[in-house]
Amino acid sequence: MYTSGKYSSRGPALIPRMKTKHRIYYITLFSVVLLGLIATGMFQFWPHSIESTADWTLDKRSVHDAPLIRLPVSSPIPERGDLSCRMHTCFDVYRCGYNPKNRIKVYIYPLQRFVDELGVPISSTGLSREYNDLLSAISDSDFYTDDVTRACLFIPSIDVLNQNSLRIRETAQALAMLPRWDKGMNHLLFNMLPGGPPDYNTALDVPRDRALLAGGGFSTWTYRQGYDVSIPVYSPLSADVDLPERQPGASVVIPEEKLSEMYTILKSIPHRQVEEMQRQARWFWEAYFSSMKAIGLTTLQIINDRIYPYAARTYEQWNNPPVVKWSSVNSPLFLPLIPPRAPGFTAVVLTYDRVESLFRVITEISKVPSLAKLLVVWNNQNKSPPEETLWPKISVPLKVVRTKENKLSNRFFPYDEIETEAVLAIDDDIIMLTSDELQFGYEVWREFPDRLVGYPGRLHLWDHEMGKWKYESEWTNEVSMVLTGAAFYHKYFNYLYTYKMPGDIKNWVDAHMNCEDIAMNFLVANITGKAPIKVTPRKKFKCPECTAIDGLSLDQTHMVERSECINKFASVFGTMPLKVVEHRADPVLYKDDFPEKLKSFPNIGSL
Amino acid sequence: MERCSRGHMQAKKRYLILLSAGACLVLLFYLGGVQLPAASRSRHDRSRNGHRLEQPWPHFSDPLHPFLPWDQTDTEDYNLHISPRQKRDINTSVYKGKRCRMDSCFDFSLCRKNGFKVYVYPQQKGEKISESYQNILSTIEGSRFYTSDPGQACLFVLSLDTLDRDQLSPQYVHNLKTKVQNLPLWNDGRNHLIFNLYSGTWPDYTEDLGFDIGQAMLAKASISTENFRPNFDVSIPLFSKEHPRTGGERGYLKYNSIPPFRKYMLVFKGKRYLTGIGSDTRNALYHVHNAEDVVLLTTCKHGKDWQKHKDARCDKDNAEYDKYDYKEMLHNSTFCLVPRGRRLGSFRFLEALQAACVPVMLSNGWELPFSEIIDWNTAAVIGDERLLLQIPTTVRSIHQDKILSLRQQTQFLWEAYFSSVEKIVLTTLEIIQDRVLEHASRSSLMWNSHPGGLFALPQYSGYLGDFPFYYDTLGIRPYPKFTAVIHAVSPLVSQSQPILKLLAAVAKSQYCAQIIVLWNCDKPLPAKHRWPATSVPVIVIEGENKVMSSRFLPYEIIVTDAVLSLDEDTVLSTTEVDFAFTVWQSFPERIVGYPARSHFWDSNKERWGYTSKWTNDYSMVLTGAAIYHRYYHFLYTNYLPTSLKSMVDQLANCEDILMNFLVSAVTKLPPIKVTQKKQYKETMMGQSSRASRWADPDHFAQRQTCMNKFASWFGAMPLVHSQMRLDPVLFKDQVSILRKKYRDIERL
């Protein structure tokens, strides 16, 4: 390409002299241009083959090709490390800076072979198999950068895994010669076997200024907490886990003085705990220490967590094996709190066009003492809501929200208008709930703010014949769902429903215009691990003439569809999160032989 | 002309061709020229995404040696050609200085015989002790760790006030050096624990205590990581004189608002030091202040001669400072900046924690309080003073869910470890105990999740699944059977005695694993054949000293997680037991029972009142018929002080109230009342057997007294009211009784 350019640039000067041979000239010119284009094309379309050739040669590269560096005798030696080094004193955090991904960038020095003035190498083994594995793993990871100016952490290619194979003074000199050494700032060394005879120090003896040390065999004297990283001694032949950091879940630590009591102590550990520890240790080993790769990346993750502590992995993330994670739940509303009564609740009524029924519902709910606000979600795009003057006059604010589409999920949107923690979702035809029942429901919700607290209860059952889940709305002794046609819940679950619903459940619900309540029950049970609370006895919710069985519709297809929902949701969640219970909540004195007028909630269960 | 024109034509053609060739060339250059850097850039990009085209670390494929050659002798002598002296020089110590650790400066043998016992030196006449230190000492003396015999002690605490070691402070104790050296048990500070809140003084505020602490451990506020000896010292929070001794205020978070943002994003209001240590960060705060959602205010107005050092910003800053109210900001901000002051720690830290304002730490090198056990990343944002300008971006980038969780964790930590002097001191002692009894120490989960380390005693079990608190986290369920413990106080004389009926009814429950009869009657044990034959084992044991507390002893024969505690005269049907047990399985950390009682504040008498009347709410269920986790037996026996337990034993009363206090203090939740037939004690009371303590007229007055005694020990009223009762799903519903699983409950 370069030649072709040069050649054609000379072209115009030739023309007058080659009048007769212009044809040949044109042909030459065009073929040159063509060749140039082809060459460009090749460069563009064959990059992989070119690169892979390079790869191949690189892979073939041998440690013996690494440049040889001779260390002058007088070459400077780094200072001894400072025991008081901490991230804020010995680590330059500016190099890491603000990073939207909260991930440190790690640079690896190219391999060099250091020898002293007599040509004797500084290490008897040179680059070890393990250190090569470790550096290869880091260079393959997200942490790696080949741009030394963007790096936050530097890893020398000088192998110090085993101190016994090192000449300490010369190794130290070699470190100090690294171009970015700068008193060891932001440099990370890996060492597994520190201290040789006669002292057997518990940390690498190589003077190293401020460099961080990821080491095995630290003692509490040499381990600089929050700076160094304790790693196990890796040996591919041994399955012994030398536990780093302090992991009470997986090891028993017994002070030397207590050796005599060891047998008693070990015997006193319950069997289940031993099993648990074995499982934990095995998992630790596999997740973090099974290979040099795991050790290297775990070390970097630990340092990463120190530099971006607000993005750090939690103790549970570090320590819980995936098996536990599957069934374990950590509810996002984990603080045991009984919220005060005073803020009250916001009633959210989903309606389409049943105005008369809607107005009755509004009038009934407005009698509930703790009602703070009424929000009507107007789901009909073809019709405007009634004039303001026509609405029932109530003592709390009433807001109407018009939706863009007639979707069931609109009822669970976290509207800004909902200013209370407690939300009462209620259908526009639930006219039979008494003020006492609603107020009591709110009181129960206060005791269980992390659950769905609702009136009509439902159950899921395993259909042995069909081999799948079945929806049940009959009079059962058990409950695993409450219908959101009338239920209290925390506004947080609106967020979860709208933004965190797994899979395509939300769209599925909107498309089928059904099962939004089942979806909500799945969501809450899955994240809290808890059953809903059904409040007050079963009754007729819509009208005195209706049967006590309620819901959108009673026909068979409806029930079939709801069974389908349960099966679909269970497969999306990958588990059946619903929990079955046999209780419901009633006022303390419900049905007790006690004057009704002295009861807080006398009007419960009436038709 | 023609030729010329032809020539002209040809020239034209040629130029055209040249032009096109030139255009081609330009295109070529363009493509090549653009493509090349683009290609190199894309390679760069790809390398950033992990799909590198060029392998930066060559993955050397030579047959490399393992780092640990099996023939160690080859390498062992590798360093021998260095002179031994040279080697020693390098080897003597990798780091400068060596300091105390438990293994070197603590005598474990002192703790072996009597466990973890703490001795407090007797107070000497004429020695002034500050209120805070007095609170610390009385907490230790009132705790289960206390021993008055130095021969039994594992840990020693001075009666000399070491809290304030600022020479300029009026609380400063002089001649501490000689006083300490003269203590007969001092032993160079070995196994001693020294509490300190303030050290050093103006201008440099060093962490020197002004006397030689020898090998003693420090429980110190504002301790720096440089001076902190990990797993030896304990970092404690700075607390004020007014910090309550026991109980303490609850956290301010009343509910979790959604979205979790408050009016302000980040606030700070405090002094600015114009000169000297700790002034840098505060001097730079104004760069970040935006007077909208990030409000960082400083004032120069403090000290006598502030105007002498006054700088150009002072007047403006002071004016801005006066516009805002500290309390208002504290309660209405998502994050609270906690920059270092003269010392590393400040009161602000605890204030923010209590106010559920997530602390943003800007105090490099501060070893955070109880850092040994608390995972502060779950409750605070640990910033770096050097990156102050990034702080707003950092806090804004924190996800809402994380804020929600940080905020709740501040409340948990505040109430678990910080809200009173007692909690701070007990946490300190428990941390040291965990080190001493390492094989029975708490896991991080126990410290960092509800109900916290003070209520989760590792001596009970090392397996988390044995506690009632971690089922959800572990993803497991409690053992699905219970052990009934019947408290027998009257001799067995007739075959129609209530205890025998009760035994039969309980034994029939499908969830019953075994029945233990605790024989607390003065008469000797009845013969074995006197007990009815049941399908489950009945074990009769004699109560220790026949006292009331013995019914809550952690008997090893209780093998199930659930205990059904029963009085001998309780009347229960199998159905009632079955139903209550299924309810308990949903609430394994609470007491689930039948008859309920309530407490109320009697404002006339200014004390707590107790009522057994039928009320619309309750806060206790009687343990004469209740199911709870067996861990509470262990907690009752080992957590509560002897004073309260012996009060119960002497009165032979109130043990149920005490158990309710304890469980509610742990859970912060009410107990659960379940359905019962209305024949239990309420109707029995008048005609009950002569042994029944319920007939005693003093009984009720005693219970009132108990309540107030207990409340004062707990430092607050832990009981919580509930307005609901849990009934079977179809309870009293108008449907055929045949459909009801628990039909016996409503038959009477």
Side-chain angles (χ1 to χ4, degrees):
Chain A
M1 199 177 69
Y2 181 65
T3 6
S4 75
K6 234 164 111 185
Y7 186 84
S8 51
S9 70
R10 245 191 284 152
L14 292 169
I15 291 166
R17 274 186 281 143
M18 295 168 90
K19 260 179 215 164
T20 46
K21 290 180 182 171
H22 62 268
R23 249 177 232 190
I24 298 164
Y25 163 70
Y26 289 143
I27 290 167
T28 320
L29 183 71
F30 269 105
S31 43
V32 164
V33 169
L34 203 71
L35 276 172
L37 277 170
I38 289 169
T40 318
M42 274 174 66
F43 188 81
Q44 278 183 46
F45 296 115
W46 289 1
H48 293 289
S49 65
I50 292 171
E51 294 293 330
S52 61
T53 330
D55 256 6
W56 183 74
T57 45
L58 274 172
D59 264 358
K60 272 288 175 198
R61 239 166 66 181
S62 160
V63 284
H64 305 294
D65 301 338
L68 204 68
I69 310 285
R70 216 170 272 274
L71 295 163
V73 179
S74 58
S75 172
I77 302 177
E79 279 187 29
R80 284 188 295 158
D82 191 343
L83 203 52
S84 67
C85 257
R86 292 296 180 269
M87 292 306 273
H88 68 275
T89 51
C90 296
F91 193 88
D92 181 4
V93 74
Y94 295 111
R95 286 189 195 274
C96 311
Y98 177 72
N99 181 333
K101 279 192 192 150
N102 297 321
R103 194 156 266 273
I104 54 170
K105 288 287 161 204
V106 181
Y107 173 79
I108 303 173
Y109 284 98
L111 187 70
Q112 292 171 317
R113 288 180 300 144
F114 289 95
V115 292
D116 65 11
E117 283 194 326
L118 301 169
V120 182
I122 60 166
S123 151
S124 63
T125 48
L127 179 70
S128 69
R129 192 196 298 151
E130 288 81 5
Y131 202 53
N132 183 35
D133 288 350
L134 180 96
L135 296 183
S136 302
I138 293 173
S139 87
D140 286 341
S141 74
D142 286 356
F143 290 109
Y144 181 76
T145 179
D146 54 4
D147 183 352
V148 70
T149 58
R150 292 176 60 225
C152 150
L153 197 65
F154 302 86
I155 302 184
S157 54
I158 302 166
D159 182 349
V160 294
L161 283 183
N162 182 358
Q163 183 183 314
N164 294 326
S165 65
L166 298 175
R167 290 165 65 192
I168 287 168
R169 182 189 154 86
E170 285 74 10
T171 306
Q173 287 176 323
L175 287 175
M177 274 185 81
L178 295 172
R180 298 258 167 178
W181 179 249
D182 188 19
K183 285 193 180 292
M185 196 88 101
N186 297 26
H187 279 63
L188 173 65
L189 303 181
F190 286 88
N191 168 258
M192 289 197 166
L193 291 182
D199 300 338
Y200 294 105
N201 261 341
T202 52
L204 180 69
D205 288 328
V206 177
R208 54 184 176 277
D209 280 329
R210 295 172 164 185
L212 296 119
L213 185 64
F218 278 120
S219 77
T220 50
W221 286 279
T222 48
Y223 180 57
R224 296 172 293 180
Q225 213 167 33
Y227 194 65
D228 292 327
V229 180
S230 182
I231 59 170
V233 178
Y234 173 75
S235 159
L237 294 172
S238 125
D240 286 338
V241 186
D242 216 359
L243 282 168
E245 310 286 329
R246 205 169 119 100
Q247 306 294 5
S251 68
V252 184
V253 187
I254 300 166
E256 278 175 59
E257 292 83 352
K258 288 204 168 182
L259 273 180
S260 57
E261 299 161 44
M262 188 165 73
Y263 179 71
T264 341
I265 291 173
L266 290 178
K267 240 186 92 180
S268 70
I269 299 169
H271 179 65
R272 270 183 293 178
Q273 190 191 350
V274 174
E275 278 176 9
E276 177 71 16
M277 283 161 75
Q278 284 168 343
R279 199 171 54 83
Q280 188 87 11
R282 189 163 49 242
W283 180 74
F284 261 137
W285 171 253
E286 279 161 13
Y288 299 131
F289 311 122
S290 57
S291 63
M292 288 308 289
K293 174 181 173 176
I295 292 173
L297 299 185
T298 303
T299 305
L300 294 185
Q301 187 61 49
I302 289 171
I303 295 172
N304 197 89
D305 282 0
R306 289 186 192 147
I307 294 168
Y308 304 108
Y310 44 88
R313 306 179 61 174
T314 64
Y315 173 84
E316 280 73 27
Q317 283 171 321
W318 276 113
N319 291 277
N320 279 355
V323 213
V324 169
K325 267 177 211 157
W326 188 243
S327 51
S328 94
V329 280
N330 286 303
S331 174
L333 304 171
F334 58 83
L335 192 70
L337 269 185
I338 297 184
R341 182 177 296 119
F345 64 89
T346 305
V348 178
V349 194
L350 184 74
T351 190
Y352 190 72
D353 58 3
R354 289 186 286 203
V355 174
E356 194 191 332
S357 169
L358 169 71
F359 284 1
R360 269 188 77 180
V361 170
I362 292 175
T363 314
E364 288 305 315
I365 303 176
S366 69
K367 296 173 190 158
V368 184
S370 284
L371 177 74
K373 190 193 261 185
L374 231 154
L375 196 65
V376 174
V377 180
W378 189 263
N379 228 1
N380 187 340
Q381 285 75 39
N382 305 318
K383 208 166 127 187
S384 297
E387 294 265 319
E388 217 181 299
T389 51
L390 299 173
W391 290 80
K393 300 285 167 288
I394 59 172
S395 55
V396 296
L398 190 155
K399 289 252 170 78
V400 181
V401 185
R402 298 196 63 178
T403 59
K404 290 203 182 79
E405 270 180 280
N406 181 20
K407 283 184 184 173
L408 273 181
S409 54
N410 288 336
R411 88 169 329 164
F412 293 136
F413 188 82
Y415 299 100
D416 286 344
E417 284 82 358
I418 304 173
E419 290 169 293
T420 59
E421 216 187 344
V423 178
L424 167 68
I426 190 158
D427 284 346
D428 61 1
D429 56 355
I430 306 289
I431 53 171
M432 299 291 288
L433 278 174
T434 66
S435 168
D436 273 352
E437 284 163 342
L438 286 168
Q439 181 65 28
F440 176 68
Y442 174 62
E443 299 290 345
V444 172
W445 175 84
R446 286 177 51 230
E447 292 191 31
F448 302 99
D450 56 344
R451 302 194 191 211
L452 282 170
V453 173
Y455 298 84
R458 292 293 182 266
L459 183 66
H460 73 287
L461 290 169
W462 183 253
D463 186 334
H464 287 282
E465 272 172 42
M466 307 289 282
K468 57 182 192 177
W469 297 107
K470 188 176 150 235
Y471 179 78
E472 184 56 79
S473 66
E474 280 297 315
W475 296 82
T476 55
N477 287 289
E478 296 165 319
V479 166
S480 63
M481 291 173 273
V482 293
L483 301 187
T484 51
F488 288 92
Y489 61 86
H490 198 288
K491 191 188 173 188
Y492 180 73
F493 296 125
N494 273 351
Y495 270 90
L496 284 187
Y497 189 97
T498 308
Y499 302 111
K500 297 261 178 89
M501 182 64 86
D504 60 343
I505 292 181
K506 227 179 104 186
N507 291 337
W508 203 90
V509 165
D510 286 335
H512 289 75
M513 277 298 236
N514 197 353
C515 301
E516 88 287 8
D517 45 3
I518 298 177
M520 187 57 128
N521 275 278
F522 265 74
L523 188 72
V524 176
N526 183 59
I527 200 152
T528 63
K530 292 172 182 167
I533 304 258
K534 170 180 164 42
V535 277
T536 65
R538 188 158 182 144
K539 61 179 274 182
K540 300 168 185 182
F541 292 101
K542 292 178 178 174
C543 51
E545 315 82 56
C546 303
T547 54
I549 294 169
D550 39 75
L552 273 165
S553 141
L554 279 172
D555 63 66
Q556 208 54 43
T557 47
H558 173 75
M559 303 303 281
V560 170
E561 194 165 82
R562 288 176 76 79
S563 289
E564 269 175 34
C565 289
I566 295 183
N567 285 293
K568 177 176 169 64
F569 299 168
S571 78
V572 172
F573 277 86
T575 178
M576 169 46 79
L578 298 179
K579 299 271 183 294
V580 179
V581 293
E582 300 186 325
H583 51 254
R584 70 160 202 250
D586 288 322
V588 179
L589 300 176
Y590 175 68
K591 294 275 180 187
D592 275 357
D593 187 12
F594 192 72
E596 289 296 314
K597 60 181 176 188
L598 294 179
K599 292 183 182 176
S600 306
F601 308 101
N603 197 0
I604 297 277
S606 63
L607 294 181
Chain B
M1 266 303 275
E2 208 194 345
R3 237 182 103 95
C4 176
S5 75
R6 241 175 81 198
H8 185 73
M9 273 282 284
Q10 270 186 347
K12 242 187 182 173
K13 229 187 225 170
R14 241 180 266 135
Y15 279 118
L16 201 74
I17 287 161
L18 264 176
L19 205 72
S20 57
C24 283
L25 271 173
V26 168
L27 189 74
L28 203 76
F29 271 109
Y30 174 78
L31 277 176
V34 168
Q35 237 12 91
L36 266 180
S40 68
R41 205 183 311 138
S42 79
R43 194 182 319 156
H44 210 94
D45 282 343
R46 265 180 275 180
S47 78
R48 242 178 267 162
N49 298 332
H51 305 283
R52 243 159 286 102
L53 300 173
E54 194 185 56
Q55 292 292 351
W57 178 258
H59 296 70
F60 294 107
S61 53
D62 328 45
L64 297 169
H65 295 287
F67 80 99
L68 179 66
W70 295 110
D71 193 3
Q72 269 280 2
T73 43
D74 277 356
T75 51
E76 213 160 85
D77 296 335
Y78 199 70
N79 286 312
L80 280 189
H81 61 267
I82 321 175
S83 77
R85 187 202 169 88
Q86 225 179 339
K87 200 173 148 186
R88 204 169 44 240
D89 282 350
I90 301 169
N91 258 3
T92 38
S93 167
V94 213
Y95 299 117
K96 305 158 186 163
K98 243 188 190 184
R99 287 172 305 169
C100 269
R101 291 294 182 273
M102 291 299 275
D103 312 284
S104 61
C105 298
F106 191 88
D107 185 353
F108 286 92
S109 68
L110 294 186
C111 315
R112 212 168 289 159
K113 241 191 304 165
N114 304 295
F116 187 72
K117 289 287 170 200
V118 185
Y119 171 77
V120 177
Y121 283 85
Q123 289 176 26
Q124 280 150 7
K125 274 181 194 163
E127 281 295 343
K128 266 197 307 182
I129 292 184
S130 66
E131 199 183 328
S132 294
Y133 199 62
Q134 189 60 61
N135 283 342
I136 291 177
L137 296 185
S138 41
T139 296
I140 299 173
E141 284 161 359
S143 78
R144 62 182 187 280
F145 303 116
Y146 178 70
T147 177
S148 53
D149 175 5
Q152 298 210 335
C154 158
L155 194 68
F156 297 78
V157 175
L158 303 181
S159 61
L160 296 159
D161 187 347
T162 50
L163 280 188
D164 193 341
R165 301 304 296 155
D166 182 338
Q167 288 172 28
L168 302 181
S169 157
Q171 309 273 14
Y172 184 82
V173 177
H174 294 272
N175 303 326
L176 204 53
K177 199 172 178 175
T178 24
K179 284 176 190 163
V180 167
Q181 294 301 335
N182 290 339
L183 294 171
L185 301 167
W186 175 244
N187 188 20
D188 193 31
R190 231 168 145 76
N191 290 33
H192 279 65
L193 177 65
I194 290 170
F195 285 90
N196 175 263
L197 292 180
Y198 305 98
S199 63
T201 189
W202 198 85
D204 50 358
Y205 297 91
T206 61
E207 291 182 22
D208 178 33
L209 296 193
F211 69 98
D212 182 11
I213 59 166
Q215 300 181 34
M217 288 182 264
L218 273 178
K220 185 176 174 351
S222 294
I223 194 163
S224 72
T225 47
E226 279 89 351
N227 292 320
F228 183 73
R229 296 164 297 178
N231 298 318
F232 189 71
D233 293 331
V234 179
S235 175
I236 60 169
L238 189 63
F239 59 87
S240 69
K241 281 201 297 265
E242 292 77 30
H243 208 60
R245 191 179 75 79
T246 58
E249 278 182 63
R250 298 210 51 184
Y252 293 161
L253 189 70
K254 295 287 175 279
Y255 47 84
N256 288 298
S257 51
I258 301 292
F261 303 114
R262 295 179 174 174
K263 180 175 162 193
Y264 305 107
M265 193 67 184
L266 178 68
V267 298
F268 170 76
K269 192 177 181 193
K271 294 174 191 172
R272 182 153 75 84
Y273 310 108
L274 298 161
T275 54
I277 187 164
S279 54
D280 296 355
T281 301
R282 291 190 178 193
N283 281 345
L285 290 181
Y286 74 95
H287 290 293
V288 182
H289 170 76
N290 69 9
E292 281 167 21
D293 64 342
V294 176
V295 181
L296 308 180
L297 309 164
T298 55
T299 179
C300 306
K301 265 193 235 173
H302 54 91
K304 276 172 248 162
D305 46 359
W306 69 275
Q307 280 182 321
K308 249 194 260 170
H309 304 283
K310 180 172 159 178
D311 62 18
R313 291 204 53 82
C314 274
D315 288 333
K316 196 172 167 227
D317 285 352
N318 292 355
E320 192 82 355
Y321 182 91
D322 293 333
K323 277 193 224 160
Y324 295 84
D325 178 59
Y326 175 62
K327 279 262 158 66
E328 193 266 341
M329 283 171 41
L330 190 66
H331 293 178
N332 292 296
S333 183
T334 310
F335 294 98
C336 276
L337 198 69
V338 184
R340 61 163 299 158
R342 289 295 196 203
R343 296 182 177 90
L344 290 166
S346 60
F347 296 127
R348 192 166 282 98
F349 180 66
L350 283 191
E351 286 166 357
L353 210 61
Q354 181 182 15
C357 184
V358 178
V360 176
M361 311 307 305
L362 272 192
S363 189
N364 286 6
W366 180 19
E367 189 69 36
L368 293 181
F370 302 136
S371 54
E372 189 174 332
I373 51 129
I374 293 177
D375 179 0
W376 280 108
N377 279 331
T378 61
V381 177
I382 297 157
D384 189 315
E385 283 181 70
R386 294 172 290 177
L387 302 178
L388 168 70
L389 299 186
Q390 284 177 15
I391 290 290
T393 331
T394 303
V395 296
R396 279 183 217 282
S397 75
I398 295 173
H399 192 270
Q400 298 191 20
D401 282 348
K402 175 88 178 174
I403 295 176
L404 192 66
S405 134
L406 286 166
R407 184 177 292 160
Q408 293 177 78
Q409 191 71 1
T410 60
Q411 300 298 282
F412 157 67
L413 291 175
W414 163 259
E415 290 182 10
Y417 306 118
F418 298 105
S419 63
S420 68
V421 175
E422 183 181 41
K423 282 175 189 163
I424 294 171
V425 171
L426 291 180
T427 307
T428 308
L429 296 182
E430 294 280 9
I431 288 174
I432 298 170
Q433 190 192 17
D434 267 12
R435 294 178 196 155
V436 173
L437 312 169
E438 268 185 322
H439 64 281
S441 62
R442 294 166 179 83
S443 68
S444 172
L445 184 72
M446 289 161 93
W447 285 112
N448 289 286
S449 68
H450 179 76
L454 298 189
F455 284 127
L457 305 183
Q459 294 79 17
Y460 165 70
S461 170
Y463 175 58
L464 289 176
D466 283 340
F467 291 83
F469 315 119
Y470 313 109
Y471 291 122
D472 285 349
T473 316
L474 297 174
I476 58 169
R477 312 240 322 166
Y479 186 73
K481 298 221 163 186
F482 67 81
T483 301
V485 178
I486 304 178
H487 189 229
V489 287
S490 26
L492 212 53
V493 285
S494 113
Q495 284 304 309
S496 62
Q497 249 170 277
I499 188 168
L500 298 178
K501 282 184 188 163
L502 178 66
L503 216 132
V506 170
K508 262 191 263 166
S509 166
Q510 53 175 312
Y511 305 112
C512 184
Q514 56 179 2
I515 298 174
I516 295 168
V517 177
L518 176 61
W519 192 254
N520 261 358
C521 171
D522 299 332
K523 299 277 160 25
L525 285 172
K528 267 202 175 149
H529 70 271
R530 304 280 308 269
W531 301 102
T534 54
S535 52
V536 297
V538 175
I539 303 155
V540 184
I541 51 173
E542 270 209 275
E544 212 179 288
N545 307 324
K546 316 244 160 173
V547 290
M548 202 46 105
S549 295
S550 65
R551 67 186 299 177
F552 294 141
L553 283 175
Y555 297 105
E556 275 187 24
I557 43 170
I558 303 178
V559 288
T560 57
D561 288 332
V563 174
L564 169 61
S565 171
L566 296 163
D567 282 349
E568 59 170 9
D569 54 354
T570 297
V571 178
L572 276 180
S573 69
T574 310
T575 315
E576 284 168 302
V577 171
D578 281 349
F579 176 67
F581 183 71
T582 64
V583 170
W584 177 83
Q585 287 181 296
S586 292
F587 305 97
E589 62 165 23
R590 305 205 207 180
I591 307 181
V592 172
Y594 307 88
R597 297 290 183 264
S598 195
H599 76 286
F600 61 94
W601 178 249
D602 187 338
S603 49
N604 291 331
K605 293 180 184 156
E606 294 226 312
R607 60 172 200 169
W608 293 106
Y610 170 89
T611 175
S612 60
K613 287 190 188 131
W614 286 22
T615 49
N616 282 295
D617 56 17
Y618 62 93
S619 54
M620 291 168 269
V621 294
L622 302 181
T623 51
I627 302 175
Y628 50 79
H629 199 283
R630 73 177 162 141
Y631 175 63
Y632 292 123
H633 273 199
F634 187 86
L635 206 59
Y636 185 99
T637 309
N638 293 287
Y639 177 84
L640 293 172
T642 320
S643 60
L644 296 192
K645 284 182 288 183
S646 49
M647 175 178 177
V648 164
D649 288 344
Q650 276 156 23
L651 296 173
N653 194 355
C654 303
E655 84 288 0
D656 48 357
I657 300 181
L658 187 52
M659 186 55 119
N660 274 275
F661 265 69
L662 178 64
V663 176
S664 278
V666 171
T667 62
K668 315 225 181 308
L669 295 170
I672 286 176
K673 175 180 165 64
V674 292
T675 337
Q676 61 173 138
K677 289 182 280 189
K678 283 292 154 197
Q679 60 176 42
Y680 185 75
K681 274 157 191 170
E682 267 83 1
T683 51
M684 298 268 307
M685 261 161 87
Q687 45 167 45
S688 66
S689 58
R690 63 191 159 80
S692 175
R693 50 206 170 105
W694 302 87
D696 185 348
D698 289 338
H699 185 77
F700 187 79
Q702 280 173 355
R703 290 171 80 79
Q704 194 97 345
T705 314
C706 286
M707 290 256 302
N708 287 285
K709 193 91 181 182
F710 299 162
S712 96
W713 185 81
F714 278 89
M717 169 51 76
L719 297 179
V720 185
H721 283 110
S722 171
Q723 300 188 67
M724 53 143 232
R725 181 183 77 204
L726 293 183
D727 294 330
V729 171
L730 298 179
F731 182 67
K732 303 239 170 173
D733 275 359
Q734 290 175 359
V735 66
S736 160
I737 196 134
L738 296 173
R739 293 191 84 138
K740 300 185 182 180
K741 182 173 173 189
Y742 300 104
R743 59 187 81 117
D744 288 351
I745 291 181
E746 51 193 275
R747 266 202 178 135
L748 287 155

